[in-house]
Amino acid sequence: MNLENIYHQELMQFVQDHLKEDPAQLLLRHKNVPGIDLKIAAQQIAMRQKAAKKLPFWASHPSLIFPPSLSMEQCSSELTAAYKAKLVLGQTFIDLTGGFAVDTFYIGKNFKSVSYLERQQELVELARYNLSRLLMDQEIKLSLVHGESIQFIEESQANYDVLFVDPARRGSGNQKMYQLKDLEPDVSQNWDILKAKAKVILIKASPMLDIRAALKELPEINEVHVVAVKNEVKELLFLYSGKHEPLKVVATELGSKSVQQFSFKVEEETNATVNYSLPQKFLVLPYACILKGGAFKSFAQQFGLNKLHPHTHLYTADELTGPVHGRVFEVLEELKLDKKTLKTRFPNGKVNVLTRNYPIKPDQIKKRYKLKDGGDDYLIGCTLLDGKTAVLRCRLSQEDS
């Protein structure tokens, strides 16, 4: 397939000229433009609009070609790809599941030799086209292969410093899959093969994956990285480096203003003790990546906080000695959850609602009492140390990162 014949200069210029337009409206308005395949042009405009936030550097590059929607949805963002690039070093690198080649590009920039493998021929051609332009100023030996990952690695005579794999998370019926054993390739089933071919292995997995279950399948993993962007967990990364060290979990919040990390050893979390108390002046909700990583006791210890209840992952203190990796609320009062009280406190019906270990979900509370998110106040429903539930009116004291 000659992509330059399909995505020729006139088409790419048309895309640039209409980048801010609605692709659907564009197709309706322009019935025919000589020399331009309007469906292809509209698809490129739509994908570039999606890429503007997820892949701003790529979106700013006028000559790159973007893939169909599913590949755009599944690829890493620039933020998370750049994060992965900082975790590994070496001379030779292979990406066994290349896809749109975002991770190949960002991780591969640090290596002398880069191999990209992908089972979809169309994506291989796309990666060849894009990487030749993105890496044109760098002295990297680049190899792109169309093939099945495990078969290729078994038959190859080469060994690598770093091997990266992002197993496909879609089943035969296009349903989303999460467990490692259900993905392709199955890294747990083929672990010995991968280990024989690389000194370091980095696995990207779904944020929905159960970390403990995954570690039972891959007991030799050295580090787990829980990566969140603006307090939403985006990726789980499992790093094998061959070191005989206690397992470490690193929770990373890639915020709009800063990067915050919280790391702990799993054995330290197991042995940690935590104090419990009723709500004090401040209430702390840890970042999503910290909770996903399972630092329920370590978090309290490190920041000198008390917990509200063993299963309520909210923390409290009368005084905070410094910044905390989470959202900090000032507790104003405990409220009775009834229509009269809520109408008095929030006459316009606007208040933000959160719950932790509480029998009613936020959406149910909002529907039942006709509330809408908004304003400066928060209603936080939770279970306290005596097992009783409470609803606290709070105000945000420390903004998200």
Side-chain angles (χ1 to χ4, degrees):
M1 183 195 304
N2 191 334
L3 293 178
E4 292 183 356
N5 288 342
I6 301 171
Y7 300 90
H8 48 77
Q9 190 173 348
E10 291 80 6
L11 184 139
M12 299 302 271
Q13 187 59 54
F14 182 89
V15 169
Q16 290 297 314
D17 292 342
H18 297 84
L19 265 182
K20 295 186 178 178
E21 296 185 36
D22 182 326
Q25 292 298 318
L26 188 72
L27 285 172
L28 290 173
R29 194 166 58 255
H30 297 271
K31 296 297 183 184
N32 182 43
V33 178
I36 303 293
D37 187 319
L38 285 172
K39 285 188 177 180
I40 290 178
Q43 187 258 354
Q44 286 300 302
I45 291 168
M47 292 305 101
R48 279 184 172 273
Q49 289 172 354
K50 282 190 174 183
K53 288 185 178 180
K54 190 173 186 178
L55 301 166
F57 173 71
W58 289 49
S60 70
H61 204 301
S63 66
L64 298 187
I65 302 171
F66 287 82
S69 184
L70 182 59
S71 294
M72 273 293 293
E73 176 193 320
Q74 292 176 338
C75 75
S76 296
S77 67
E78 282 180 24
L79 268 178
T80 58
Y83 179 84
K84 287 191 280 286
K86 294 177 182 177
L87 300 181
V88 292
L89 292 170
Q91 300 291 315
T92 56
F93 167 68
I94 184 168
D95 185 342
L96 280 189
T97 47
F100 185 39
V102 174
D103 287 314
T104 311
F105 170 65
Y106 281 97
I107 300 174
K109 284 196 299 183
N110 300 327
F111 292 78
K112 297 292 184 185
S113 173
V114 174
S115 297
Y116 162 106
L117 187 74
E118 171 57 48
R119 61 184 181 180
Q120 295 185 52
Q121 180 70 50
E122 297 83 358
L123 289 176
V124 177
E125 296 305 321
L126 205 59
R128 193 185 311 279
Y129 180 96
N130 287 336
L131 291 177
S132 66
R133 286 154 178 78
L134 289 166
L135 297 172
M136 63 187 304
D137 297 328
Q138 295 185 246
E139 295 182 6
I140 294 175
K141 181 185 175 184
L142 182 62
S143 170
L144 292 97
V145 179
H146 172 226
E148 293 291 338
S149 55
I150 299 302
Q151 182 183 348
F152 174 84
I153 207 81
E154 277 186 304
E155 295 175 355
S156 172
Q157 299 299 311
N159 287 77
Y160 304 90
D161 291 330
V162 176
L163 181 152
F164 173 71
V165 58
D166 176 10
R169 300 197 285 273
R170 293 277 179 173
S172 55
N174 204 35
Q175 72 273 29
K176 290 186 177 181
M177 316 286 278
Y178 304 117
Q179 295 184 55
L180 291 179
K181 63 182 178 62
D182 295 329
L183 310 183
E184 264 191 54
D186 182 342
V187 292
S188 55
Q189 182 70 29
N190 296 286
W191 183 245
D192 288 339
I193 296 169
L194 301 179
K195 229 175 28 163
K197 291 292 182 177
K199 298 174 186 174
V200 172
I201 299 169
L202 182 62
I203 302 164
K204 174 184 167 183
S206 164
M208 301 298 291
L209 180 68
D210 184 313
I211 294 174
R212 288 187 178 183
L215 291 172
K216 286 180 181 177
E217 293 184 65
L218 299 172
E220 294 178 273
I221 290 295
N222 297 101
E223 294 179 11
V224 178
H225 290 254
V226 185
V227 184
V229 177
K230 296 181 181 177
N231 207 23
E232 180 183 352
V233 178
K234 294 292 187 181
E235 296 179 2
L236 299 182
L237 304 172
F238 296 85
L239 180 67
Y240 165 79
S241 59
K243 297 176 181 176
H244 297 287
E245 296 177 350
L247 176 66
K248 182 170 76 170
V249 178
V250 182
T252 303
E253 165 62 25
L254 301 174
S256 56
K257 301 172 187 175
S258 63
V259 175
Q260 295 188 38
Q261 283 191 324
F262 182 92
S263 63
F264 65 97
K265 300 280 185 13
V266 172
E267 62 181 26
E268 292 173 350
E269 171 67 21
T270 302
N271 297 325
T273 56
V274 62
N275 296 320
Y276 298 92
S277 78
L278 292 170
Q280 297 173 294
K281 182 179 180 181
F282 295 105
L283 206 61
V284 180
L285 175 59
Y287 288 131
C289 55
I290 293 173
L291 295 176
K292 178 66 181 181
F296 305 127
K297 295 185 286 185
S298 302
F299 181 82
Q301 268 196 347
Q302 185 159 325
F303 292 104
L305 304 171
N306 296 328
K307 211 162 181 253
L308 296 188
H309 182 276
H311 303 300
T312 302
H313 304 313
L314 284 168
Y315 302 79
T316 193
D318 268 330
E319 186 179 348
L320 300 175
T321 56
V324 178
H325 292 357
R327 304 175 77 189
V328 179
F329 302 87
E330 184 177 354
V331 179
L332 303 177
E333 62 177 329
E334 184 176 342
L335 284 182
K336 186 177 180 182
L337 197 61
D338 61 37
K339 290 181 180 179
K340 184 179 178 181
T341 303
L342 295 176
K343 187 67 177 176
T344 303
R345 288 290 185 275
F346 315 107
N348 62 1
K350 286 190 175 182
V351 63
N352 306 288
V353 182
L354 297 172
T355 61
R356 290 295 182 273
N357 191 24
Y358 193 75
I360 312 173
K361 301 295 182 187
D363 287 345
Q364 293 174 304
I365 293 174
K366 286 185 282 187
K367 184 178 180 180
R368 184 179 298 179
Y369 299 102
K370 297 179 180 178
L371 301 172
K372 291 183 179 180
D373 285 333
D376 297 325
D377 286 359
Y378 284 74
L379 284 180
I380 302 180
C382 54
T383 298
L384 305 180
L385 61 90
D386 57 4
K388 293 180 180 178
T389 58
V391 175
L392 307 172
R393 181 170 75 92
C394 304
R395 191 157 291 166
L396 197 60
S397 175
Q398 177 180 302
E399 294 288 347
D400 290 352
S401 64

